[in-house]
């Protein structure tokens, strides 16, 4: 299982990195991506509240951003 | 406007007092700080959120206010401080199965007991706690293309203390169209359960008798690692891909969860002790998790599509899939409406057991915690966002959560009972940024 996962990771990592060099835009074309609502961490408080709820009620947690502090709720 | 400035300055002073007055470590939980584009160097920016959470059947309800202060120290340098208070009340499933007879349980303190009526799902109604968490993070540039962050966190509730530190680094390349990210976090948790930590598979004892509990606190260490890449695809879209690894070592039991011991008919096995025949759970003292996460975000004529998928697997044999979809409809006046759908499914832990049988040998590990069972969950939500006349952002969201477990195998009289009932929760959230 672990080996399969590592292999999958290696393949994904390689394709992502090799694919990345052909993608992208010029600096002056980033007007839309630069909008606050397009940021990946646009709502950190909401994300933290959601993560906390799901951490307390589900067996899997994290993965999106790196984990915050623990609590006794799980 | 003037009032707003005065408020900001008062809050800035209060926040600084908080930092200088707090010698303990704190922690940041998001990888970056919530900096708005208009935030000038030296300016503070504040975000507040309030969450009301309530589960069906008088289970847990919570109110959770959060206050976040962010100061832009320099061009690309930010200090972030966050205070979270989490106040919980209600009842939580004890892990015992329902019976056609009333059941008496000893409370965790060992000083009192409570009775669950016949054919009722056993909930422990002593659930009451307040958690206070402080988090801080500092983000700063290392070079033109490299940024780093350091953070600390402390979270304290009546029977639990969690402290952690973290660091991360990100590197922009490919004309700043690609960003590589790596983060590391170490957490130390200490639990001091009410009445002491139960001895693994210890039998619950009646009030007044010696309880099968240990004195002193129990510890857990957790190491989290996350590496990821963010990539601009075109003028309107980008994606993110992460791999996460988590390893924890130490006390993983829930000290308040028990397993019923049943006879060959599915009744509670009568061993003559006048409280329900239940044993405290026993989980492995290690857990290793791997996660893959992908996210795609696209700007569509002012609207925004935000979709993500997460796969997680661990050595407790829990595999989970999560799909999250948000679509933000923008209105001409700047308001927006954002529907949200989230689907989650998990397999059960290899040591999950809804009950134990007297006529079968005790397994090495067992827990009947419903969160380790197999189930699906759906969240449906709607968020509305608008700006006040002063230009401050408001958001209000209502979300509904439903968890549908797979009913475990049953036999004898147990077939009349529901071992894992469906349950729902309502969440109401308000955010204000100023």
């Amino acid at each position: 299982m672990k080996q399969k996962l590592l292999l999958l990771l290696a393949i994904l990592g390689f394709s992502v990195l090799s694919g990345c060099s052909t993608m992208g835009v010029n600096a002056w074309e980033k007007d839309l991506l630069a909008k606050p609502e397009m940021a990946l961490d646009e709502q950190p408080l909401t994300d933290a509240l959601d993560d906390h709820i799901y951490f307390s009620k589900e067996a899997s947690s994290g993965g999106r951003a790196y984990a915050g502090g623990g609590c006794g709720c799980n | 406007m003037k009032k707003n400035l005065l408020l900001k300055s008062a809050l800035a002073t209060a926040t600084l007092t908080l930092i200088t007055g707090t010698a303990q470590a704190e922690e940041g939980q998001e990888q970056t700080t919530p900096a708005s584009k208009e935030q000038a160097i030296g300016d503070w920016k504040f975000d507040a959120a309030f969450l009301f959470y309530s589960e069906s059947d008088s289970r847990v309800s919570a109110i959770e206010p959060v206050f976040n202060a962010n100061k832009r120290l320099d061009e690309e340098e930010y200090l972030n401080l966050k205070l979270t208070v989490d106040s919980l009340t209600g009842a939580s499933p004890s892990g015992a199965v329902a019976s056609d007879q009333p059941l008496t349980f000893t409370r965790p303190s060992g000083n009192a007991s409570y009775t669950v009526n016949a054919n009722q799902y056993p909930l422990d109604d002593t659930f009451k706690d307040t958690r206070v968490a402080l988090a801080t993070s500092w983000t700063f540039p290392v070079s033109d293309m490299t940024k780093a962050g350091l953070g600390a966190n402390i979270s304290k509730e009546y029977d639990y203390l969690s402290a952690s530190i973290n660091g991360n680094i990100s590197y922009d390349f490919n004309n700043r169209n690609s960003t590589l990210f790596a983060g590391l976090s170490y957490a130390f948790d200490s639990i001091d359960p009410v009445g002491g930590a139960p001895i693994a598979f210890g039998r619950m004892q009646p009030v007044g008798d010696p309880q099968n509990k240990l004195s002193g606190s129990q510890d857990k260490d957790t190491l989290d690692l996350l590496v990821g890449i963010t990539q601009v695809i075109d003028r309107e879209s980008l994606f993110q891909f992460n791999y996460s690894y988590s390893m924890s070592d130490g006390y993983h039991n829930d000290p308040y969860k028990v397993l019923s011991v049943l006879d060959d008919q599915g009744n509670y096995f009568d061993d003559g002790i006048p409280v329900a025949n239940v044993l405290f759970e026993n989980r492995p003292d290690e857990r290793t998790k791997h996660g893959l996460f992908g996210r795609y975000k696209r700007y569509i004529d002012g609207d925004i599509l935000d979709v993500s998928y997460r796969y997680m697997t661990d050595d407790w044999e829990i595999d989970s899939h999560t799909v999250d979809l948000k679509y933000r409809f923008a209105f001409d006046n700047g308001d927006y409406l954002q529907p949200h759908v989230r689907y989650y499914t998990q397999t059960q832990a290899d040591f999950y057991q809804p009950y134990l049988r007297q006529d079968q040998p005790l397994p090495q590990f067992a827990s009947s915690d419903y969160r380790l069972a197999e189930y699906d969950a759906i969240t449906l939500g709607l968020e509305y966002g608008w700006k006040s006349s002063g230009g401050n952002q408001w958001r209000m969201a209502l979300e509904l959560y439903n968890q549908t477990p797979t009913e475990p195998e049953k036999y004898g009289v147990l077939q009349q009972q529901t071992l894992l009932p469906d349950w729902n929760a309502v969440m109401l959230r308000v955010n204000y940024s100023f």
Side-chain angles (χ1 to χ4, degrees):
Chain A
M1 184 65 215
K2 206 172 167 183
Q3 277 175 337
K4 253 166 62 184
L5 190 75
L6 284 173
L7 182 69
L8 181 71
L9 266 180
I11 295 171
L12 272 169
F14 182 74
S15 4
V16 166
L17 281 176
S18 55
C20 285
S21 55
T22 60
M23 280 187 254
V25 294
N26 294 306
W28 59 88
E29 294 170 308
K30 288 191 180 163
D31 52 333
L32 301 177
L33 299 175
K35 285 178 180 285
E37 58 268 33
M38 274 302 283
L40 289 174
D41 60 347
E42 183 221 354
Q43 286 202 49
L45 296 199
T46 300
D47 291 344
L49 284 169
D50 282 353
D51 283 352
H52 183 64
I53 291 168
Y54 297 126
F55 171 80
S56 310
K57 300 294 160 189
E58 297 175 347
S60 297
S61 61
R64 184 181 48 77
Y66 73 96
C71 66
C73 34
N74 196 351
Chain B
M1 193 62 204
K2 196 175 171 191
K3 210 170 140 193
N4 198 5
L5 277 174
L6 274 172
L7 180 66
K8 275 194 171 192
S9 124
L11 281 169
T13 316
T15 311
L16 275 174
T17 316
L18 189 72
I19 319 166
T20 46
T22 312
Q24 288 156 310
E26 296 117 47
E27 196 236 330
Q29 42 210 82
E30 296 310 311
Q31 53 196 61
T32 47
T33 49
S36 122
K37 295 295 163 202
E38 310 92 55
Q39 192 179 3
I41 293 172
D43 269 7
W44 284 92
K45 183 179 173 294
F46 302 102
D47 294 273
F50 180 85
L51 171 76
F52 170 72
Y53 171 93
S54 179
E55 292 176 4
S56 52
D57 305 323
S58 307
R59 282 165 73 162
V60 177
S61 69
I63 49 171
E64 192 168 344
V66 189
F67 181 74
N68 193 85
N70 183 270
K71 186 176 188 181
R72 186 171 185 186
L73 301 170
D74 208 336
E75 196 61 41
E76 290 206 61
E77 187 178 357
Y78 296 91
L79 176 70
N80 199 73
L81 298 146
K82 187 168 77 164
L83 173 71
T84 307
V85 180
D86 194 0
S87 179
L88 299 157
T89 51
S92 184
S94 68
V97 297
S99 164
D100 56 7
Q101 302 293 317
L103 298 167
T104 303
F105 298 94
T106 305
R107 292 199 188 279
S109 66
N111 300 329
S113 64
Y114 63 98
T115 301
V116 173
N117 293 336
N119 303 313
Q120 218 171 57
Y121 183 54
L123 297 172
D124 177 358
D125 60 3
T126 33
F127 197 54
K128 192 172 181 176
D129 209 347
T130 300
R131 185 177 72 97
V132 179
L134 272 169
T136 184
S137 66
W138 173 44
T139 318
F140 54 95
V142 177
S143 72
D144 242 15
M145 294 294 173
T146 312
K147 270 191 297 186
L150 292 170
N153 177 53
I154 189 156
S155 167
K156 176 77 185 111
E157 55 209 282
Y158 181 72
D159 59 356
Y160 207 95
L161 170 76
S162 177
S164 66
I165 48 169
N166 62 69
N168 65 75
I169 191 152
S170 64
Y171 171 68
D172 293 335
F173 62 105
N174 183 22
N175 216 4
R176 288 194 195 272
N177 284 299
S178 312
T179 305
L180 277 174
F181 173 87
L184 192 69
S185 156
Y186 168 76
F188 170 78
D189 290 11
S190 172
I191 179 164
D192 193 1
V194 176
I199 294 169
F201 292 135
R203 164 76 161 97
M204 182 180 276
Q205 296 297 318
V207 176
D209 284 10
Q211 305 291 312
N212 279 321
K213 305 273 181 89
L214 303 165
S215 58
S217 60
Q218 305 290 323
D219 300 339
K220 182 170 80 174
D221 298 287
T222 309
L223 185 72
D224 282 296
L225 172 76
L226 187 135
V227 289
I229 185 162
T230 307
Q231 173 66 42
V232 171
I233 302 169
D234 54 30
R235 191 169 164 242
E236 286 95 19
S237 62
L238 52 86
F239 75 81
Q240 181 187 18
F241 179 76
N242 291 342
Y243 163 73
S244 59
Y245 172 83
S246 172
M247 193 179 68
S248 50
D249 183 23
Y251 188 79
H252 285 74
N253 290 350
D254 184 325
Y256 309 119
K257 294 271 189 270
V258 294
L259 288 125
S260 307
V261 181
L262 308 178
D263 64 15
D264 56 2
Q265 302 299 309
N267 292 306
Y268 274 74
F269 181 76
D270 186 4
D271 59 358
I273 297 175
V275 282
N277 192 345
V278 292
L279 307 186
F280 294 106
E281 66 163 40
N282 185 28
R283 303 183 190 194
D285 56 9
E286 278 183 356
R287 187 177 181 188
T288 305
K289 301 192 268 188
H290 300 271
L292 296 175
F293 173 83
R295 183 174 174 190
Y296 175 75
K297 203 162 175 176
R298 182 170 192 89
Y299 187 89
I300 306 166
D301 286 337
D303 293 350
I304 293 169
L305 168 74
D306 189 348
V307 56
S308 70
Y309 166 76
R310 182 186 69 174
Y311 168 68
M312 295 208 86
T313 182
D314 66 37
D315 61 356
W316 288 4
E317 304 302 327
I318 298 170
D319 290 347
S320 75
H321 301 271
T322 312
V323 179
D324 193 286
L325 175 70
K326 289 184 178 124
Y327 193 90
R328 176 181 161 131
F329 293 98
F331 299 119
D332 291 341
N333 62 357
D335 294 4
Y336 70 86
L337 185 69
Q338 180 174 272
H340 173 213
V341 182
R342 177 183 184 270
Y343 172 74
Y344 175 84
T345 182
Q346 75 174 43
T347 60
Q348 67 178 42
D350 55 359
F351 56 86
Y352 171 79
Q353 285 196 230
Y355 48 80
L356 296 167
R357 286 183 64 153
Q358 177 66 24
D359 56 7
Q360 286 174 6
L362 209 55
Q364 188 186 5
F365 301 112
S367 170
S368 61
D369 189 335
Y370 70 98
R371 295 168 298 190
L372 302 177
E374 180 178 280
Y375 61 83
D376 298 341
I378 285 187
T379 309
L380 294 176
L382 199 58
E383 177 174 294
Y384 190 78
W386 72 98
K387 287 213 162 111
S388 67
S389 49
N392 297 325
Q393 179 76 52
W394 283 92
R395 305 172 205 272
M396 189 175 275
L398 181 70
E399 303 223 299
L400 305 172
Y401 179 75
N402 171 263
Q403 209 177 82
T404 315
T406 306
E407 184 69 355
E409 209 176 297
K410 295 181 282 194
Y411 66 101
V413 293
L414 210 54
Q415 291 174 70
Q416 301 157 18
Q417 308 295 345
T418 302
L419 303 190
L420 289 174
D422 289 16
W423 63 275
N424 305 302
V426 179
M427 296 168 249
L428 179 71
R429 180 172 41 77
V430 182
N431 293 57
Y432 180 55
S433 303
F434 54 106

